[in-house]
Each structure stands twice: as structure tokens, then as C-alpha cells.
Amino acid sequence: MKCDIYQNINTFMIRNPALPIENYYKLFSKSINKEQSNEYIRVLCNDTIFRESILVSSKDLYDKMIKFAKGGKISKSDYFFRSIYKYLIRMTTRSTPFGLLAGIDFRQYSDNETSIFYNESRFHKFARPDFEWIMKLVKEIEIKYYQNLWFKNNAGIFIKGDRAVLVYSTVKNEKDNIDEISIRATSAFKTTYELTKQRIKYSDLKANLLEKYPLENEEKINNFLKQLIESEFLISNLRPPLTVPDQFEYLIKEIRKSNINEKLLENLVSIQRGIDIYNNTVGGNAEKLYLGLTKKMNDITGAKTPLQVDMRINLKEKKLQKNIVNKINELMNLLLSLSKKNNSLTKYKEDFIEKYGLDREIPLLEMIDNDLGIGPPASYIHPRNNRLVYYDENEIIDEKVREYFLQKHVYALRHNFNYIELKDDEIENLNLPKYSYDEIPNSIELDLIVKSDSQNEIKDQNLHYFIGPFRGSTHAGKSFGRFSHVMENSVDFFNKLNKL
């Protein structure tokens, strides 16, 4: 018997579509004609739960639904119906969390049998301002009220010769892309850089520069600092860290501390209260509240989706048998034996040793620079490696493995099977190189679909497990991060994960 590769962290995420699969069969039954299909669409357009879900996902489609429900004529009706079909399919068959279309929950594994049942109220909303809206508001305040704020230099600044380079920023060019930004590393810039290694009030920063450069007037110093703020070489105390539980609460506190525009502060606090009220509404009863909230937010600063909405499943029982972890470890032993070693990071490590030698500490921003360092890893998109690319996804699969799966695929087609069966003895006969324990990921997470044919099958624990389309990732907890605000005791979970 092969040993377990990975330790169980005793936490799993459940993801489930918002609507039962029966709603899918109602619309896509072979016995339903076009007239009945259109009538069912009209019923959906009058269903408040479905309508609110569409409102959160697509305001344009929601407006057309309201018009259609009232008997109005819809231009491009085929496109309208196809859009409704796609959202209904998603709400009934896809568990990928998005708005009110699917929900999630978290639980620890159980020694008891697998059992998953809903409460009477199936879902609970978790709305918060979208981070794009927050950052747009922050940038506007930074430009308008910069003299009230505290500033610190951007940790992504890299001095390269006589230029100061900012590798990462949120400033987009005319094509809506993010480019590397650079400015001259003048004496004034270097002085500012040193003064802002720790957070400093704008008035103190300006006073220091005026003292250092007495021949320069105040307006010129202000314009110089504003340029650094706009290009994000200086970032203010308003920018919320991703590590705080509530970025909107953080922003409100910093605005209050900075004595900025009482009216703006009142409006933000009002939005915060409105979000709390919306989060406590039952699905389908809050269209007007959502519309009012997003209007108030867009009145402050415009964004395509000012409010981000997630949904947690209200489950009466959420038990998953611990034995599944043992089966996952067996599966990982099998899959790792079929995988081919990815040489991209190994080659990257060799490049590092060749340039810098062993046991060297190099500033990260220097290392990923294409001119001074070895560039970023070959698989990075931003920044991209301009050197020789030696990473090819098509080379990951061994030819023996490719041939093995091809034979299995052909066999399944000939016998009309909808699956292929992998056997340990067949894989051993391939004589593949053994994987190295040191080269496999330190942790993983897997996306599994748990399926049963009926409620009785669940009671009998006759369950089937399938690897989902998301598959997972090579970092345990990676997919949990975006939903940490939905988790209970999320800080404890991630602290525990980091200690393993």
C-alpha cells in the first residue's frame, strides 16, 4: 500500500448552484414546444429570485427582463432568449461562485457518513463594495485631497541606473493595459524616496523638500509630488491592504482620520449601512434596495459593477466523510506517476545559480528585471520574460502516457463507454520515471464533484466523485482567499495553513 502524500487540513469548501436541476429540465425537456418555452421564460422574468440574480450579474439583461415581463417587445429577441438560457443553465448546473448564481460554504470533515442538506432559507448574501470601485474612489480622493493625507513610497520601485522603475501599478494606458512606468531618478526623487520609507504626512514631506531645495517654490514642489502620486510612486494611507478583513471599513476610518469632506464620509457610512441591510434580506426581496445602493455608489464615483455580491449556502447538515481524503491520496499517487516533470523552474534555478552563484540573497525586483537580472519565470505574463523561453506546455505529457490515454480513449469510443478506466498494473508496465518527493507541490487543493442518483443513494453512501473542470491548484487554500469574508474564523484557518 502506498503511503499518503498529503496531510488533511480538515477543511473543505462546498459549492452549489442556486437553483435545483429540475428547473433546467423544465425548460430543456424534449416535449416542450417554442410557445411553452417562451411562456416559461416569461414566468422566470416574473420570478423575483431569478430576477435579482440577473440584476446582480447583468443590469442590461435585467432591464430587458422587466420589459418582457410587462409584455413589451424585445429587440434582438433571439439574443435575449439565449442569454436567459445561459443564465438558467449556469444557475442550475454550474457551481462556480458568481453573484447570486451559486453559493459556497465551509466545513470540517466528519467521522460520520456524508450528509448535505439545506436549511429552509437556502442562501445568505455577502455584499461589499467592489475593489475596482474602492480604488477608483481612492485615486480621486488622493488627487483632490492629497494635502490631508499621509504617504509612503511604493514597495515596487526599483532604481535602475538613472531611472526609477515601477514594475507593478494600477495605471492603465490608452489600450487599457498596464505597462511598466519609469521616471528620472533625480536628486529630488531620491530625497522623496528616502523620506517616504515610513509613512509621512504630506505637509511634513513638502516642508522637508522646501528645506532641502530652498530655491524651489511651493507650487513646483506640489506639482512634483502630485506627479508621483498620480503615477503611484507614492501611495496614500487610504489604500486598503488586502490583508484586512473589510477594505471598505478601513477606507472609511482613514477618511475620518484625515478630516476629508464630511458629506462624502456621511454618504459612505450610509452606503455601509445599506449594504448591511441588503445582506440580511431574503433572496428575491431586494431588487429596489440593490438598485438604490448601486445608484448611490455610482453617484460618488462610477463603476460598471460597484457592488460585489457573494452567497453562502445555509446548510442544516454539511458532513463529508473523512475516508474521501484517503481516496484522494490514492488518486494523487496515481496521477503523479503519470505526470512529467516540469523543467521550467528547474531551469530558472540553474539560471539564478549561473548568474549569482550559491547561497546569495538578491533583491527580488533586480532578479526579475530582464536587463540586470534573469527576468521573471518563463510562465509569467506580467512582467513577461524577454529572454529565451524554454517553457512549453505541450512537452509536459510523456509520449508513453499520451499513447496510453489515446488507446484508452479509442477503446471507450468503440464500446460506447463514457469513461476510461486506469489500472495500477497497466501504469506500472509503462516503466515511467518515479516522481521525486522534493519536486511535488508542498500542498494542493482538488476540485471534486460529489454525485448521487437519488436521496436514497446518499443515505446508502453510494456516492461518486469526479474531478471537476476547475481541477484545483498547487496551493492549499488558494481558492478560499477570495471568499475569506464569507468564512467563519478565516484568520485562524489561514494561520493554521501557514504553519503546516
Side-chain angles (χ1 to χ4, degrees):
M1 180 179 177
K2 295 181 179 178
C3 64
D4 288 348
I5 305 173
Y6 292 105
Q7 177 185 346
N8 173 19
I9 63 168
N10 202 30
T11 302
F12 62 91
M13 178 197 291
I14 303 173
R15 311 194 308 180
N16 209 57
L19 295 178
I21 190 66
E22 287 76 17
N23 293 64
Y24 171 87
Y25 293 128
K26 278 183 186 177
L27 183 60
F28 297 102
S29 168
K30 291 182 179 179
S31 61
I32 193 171
N33 58 39
K34 185 175 181 180
E35 185 178 336
Q36 290 172 320
S37 173
N38 289 353
E39 183 55 35
Y40 183 62
I41 294 293
R42 198 178 300 279
V43 171
L44 281 176
C45 290
N46 283 292
D47 184 290
T48 55
I49 293 177
F50 185 77
R51 212 164 56 199
E52 186 182 344
S53 301
I54 299 300
L55 170 61
V56 171
S57 305
S58 172
K59 175 66 166 56
D60 290 341
L61 182 58
Y62 171 81
D63 291 338
K64 289 182 180 179
M65 285 176 62
I66 297 296
K67 185 177 180 180
F68 181 73
K70 292 179 179 179
K73 189 175 181 181
I74 303 295
S75 60
K76 299 181 180 179
S77 58
D78 288 345
Y79 178 79
F80 169 72
F81 286 130
R82 281 199 302 271
S83 298
I84 296 294
Y85 297 155
K86 288 176 181 176
Y87 274 105
L88 181 64
I89 291 170
R90 177 159 191 155
M91 288 184 72
T92 54
T93 65
R94 285 188 62 186
S95 59
T96 306
F98 179 72
L100 300 178
L101 306 181
I104 61 170
D105 202 356
F106 304 87
R107 195 64 175 176
Q108 296 182 333
Y109 291 97
S110 171
D111 292 321
N112 301 318
E113 295 178 340
T114 295
S115 177
I116 298 173
F117 294 104
Y118 282 100
N119 269 316
E120 191 171 322
S121 175
R122 289 168 62 94
F123 297 100
H124 179 72
K125 299 169 189 171
F126 281 81
R128 57 180 179 170
D130 190 86
F131 203 67
E132 181 185 4
W133 181 85
I134 289 178
M135 287 306 301
K136 191 173 180 184
L137 175 59
V138 165
K139 289 180 181 181
E140 290 177 4
I141 297 174
E142 283 179 343
I143 299 304
K144 194 171 183 180
Y145 299 101
Y146 61 91
Q147 300 201 40
N148 296 63
L149 305 176
W150 284 259
F151 288 92
K152 187 178 183 299
N153 66 48
N154 193 322
I157 296 172
F158 175 51
I159 305 297
K160 185 177 176 182
D162 63 347
R163 307 290 295 180
V165 180
L166 191 57
V167 180
Y168 296 103
S169 77
T170 63
V171 179
K172 296 183 178 180
N173 61 22
E174 295 176 355
K175 295 181 179 179
D176 212 30
N177 295 325
I178 295 175
D179 292 329
E180 185 178 273
I181 302 173
S182 74
I183 59 173
R184 286 180 59 228
T186 61
S187 172
F189 176 84
K190 291 177 180 177
T191 301
T192 305
Y193 181 82
E194 291 298 321
L195 288 169
T196 55
K197 282 187 174 179
Q198 300 297 326
R199 187 177 286 179
I200 182 172
K201 192 165 175 50
Y202 181 87
S203 56
D204 295 335
L205 174 60
K206 182 175 69 174
N208 275 283
L209 288 173
L210 285 170
E211 183 180 348
K212 174 84 172 178
Y213 304 100
L215 297 179
E216 303 294 346
N217 60 46
E218 187 174 340
E219 183 182 358
K220 191 169 184 179
I221 295 294
N222 278 330
N223 289 336
F224 167 70
L225 291 175
K226 280 179 69 176
Q227 181 188 6
L228 295 182
I229 294 167
E230 289 175 8
S231 55
E232 298 188 343
F233 283 87
L234 293 180
I235 54 178
S236 78
N237 58 303
L238 298 184
R239 300 206 173 204
L242 296 177
T243 50
V244 298
D246 188 337
Q247 282 85 20
F248 192 42
E249 174 67 22
Y250 175 94
L251 175 59
I252 289 173
K253 285 181 179 178
E254 292 299 318
I255 290 174
R256 184 178 286 118
K257 186 175 79 174
S258 303
N259 296 317
I260 295 173
N261 196 322
E262 280 296 323
K263 183 62 177 174
L264 171 63
L265 185 61
E266 287 175 14
N267 287 334
L268 294 179
V269 170
S270 174
I271 289 169
Q272 188 180 42
R273 289 173 184 156
I275 290 173
D276 289 340
I277 294 170
Y278 177 77
N279 285 339
N280 287 300
T281 59
V282 178
N285 291 338
E287 290 171 63
K288 288 184 178 179
L289 182 56
Y290 178 89
L291 288 167
L293 267 173
T294 52
K295 182 182 183 306
K296 188 178 289 187
M297 294 174 75
N298 278 326
D299 285 343
I300 294 174
T301 186
K304 185 178 180 181
T305 310
L307 198 61
Q308 176 191 321
V309 184
D310 294 303
M311 192 164 62
R312 188 172 73 192
I313 312 169
N314 284 334
L315 292 171
K316 187 190 304 183
E317 287 190 22
K318 38 187 175 183
K319 300 174 184 175
L320 196 59
Q321 234 287 338
K322 274 185 179 179
N323 285 341
I324 181 61
V325 179
N326 299 329
K327 294 179 180 179
I328 289 173
N329 267 302
E330 290 178 20
L331 175 64
M332 291 312 303
N333 268 303
L334 177 68
L335 294 180
L336 283 169
S337 64
L338 291 169
S339 65
K340 184 177 179 181
K341 180 181 174 184
N342 181 358
N343 289 318
S344 64
L345 285 179
T346 302
K347 181 67 170 64
Y348 191 71
K349 180 180 177 181
E350 291 171 358
D351 287 350
F352 181 93
I353 294 171
E354 181 181 344
K355 183 171 181 65
Y356 299 113
L358 295 169
D359 301 322
R360 291 286 308 278
E361 288 188 3
I362 305 298
L364 176 62
L365 294 175
E366 176 189 324
M367 184 189 76
I368 65 173
D369 185 82
N370 282 297
D371 298 321
L372 298 179
I374 58 174
S379 57
Y380 273 39
I381 296 174
H382 181 76
R384 195 176 288 278
N385 193 314
N386 295 333
R387 297 150 64 93
L388 178 64
V389 175
Y390 37 74
Y391 177 73
D392 184 358
E393 289 185 352
N394 294 323
E395 293 179 358
I396 293 176
I397 301 176
D398 188 282
E399 279 303 318
K400 288 182 182 179
V401 176
R402 191 191 302 275
E403 183 65 26
Y404 174 69
F405 276 101
L406 181 60
Q407 290 177 6
K408 288 286 183 180
H409 178 68
V410 171
Y411 183 84
L413 289 176
R414 283 178 179 171
H415 294 82
N416 202 27
F417 293 161
N418 60 1
Y419 63 89
I420 62 172
E421 184 177 2
L422 307 181
K423 298 181 179 179
D424 286 334
D425 58 338
E426 292 176 348
I427 293 171
E428 286 178 8
N429 289 336
L430 293 176
N431 293 318
L432 299 171
K434 300 295 182 183
Y435 64 84
S436 169
Y437 184 81
D438 294 330
E439 292 171 353
I440 65 174
N442 290 329
S443 66
I444 62 161
E445 58 182 17
L446 278 183
D447 175 38
L448 296 178
I449 296 173
V450 183
K451 185 180 177 183
S452 70
D453 295 328
S454 67
Q455 290 288 345
N456 289 331
E457 294 287 294
I458 296 177
K459 290 178 183 177
D460 297 337
Q461 296 298 288
N462 189 9
L463 305 172
H464 304 282
Y465 299 93
F466 303 85
I467 295 179
F470 168 61
R471 295 192 300 277
S473 74
T474 55
H475 298 283
K478 183 178 179 180
S479 64
F480 288 33
R482 191 175 83 78
F483 305 104
S484 57
H485 63 292
V486 179
M487 296 179 71
E488 296 175 1
N489 304 316
S490 61
V491 174
D492 293 340
F493 168 76
F494 285 107
N495 284 338
K496 176 186 173 184
L497 198 60
N498 288 331
K499 290 176 182 177
L500 292 177

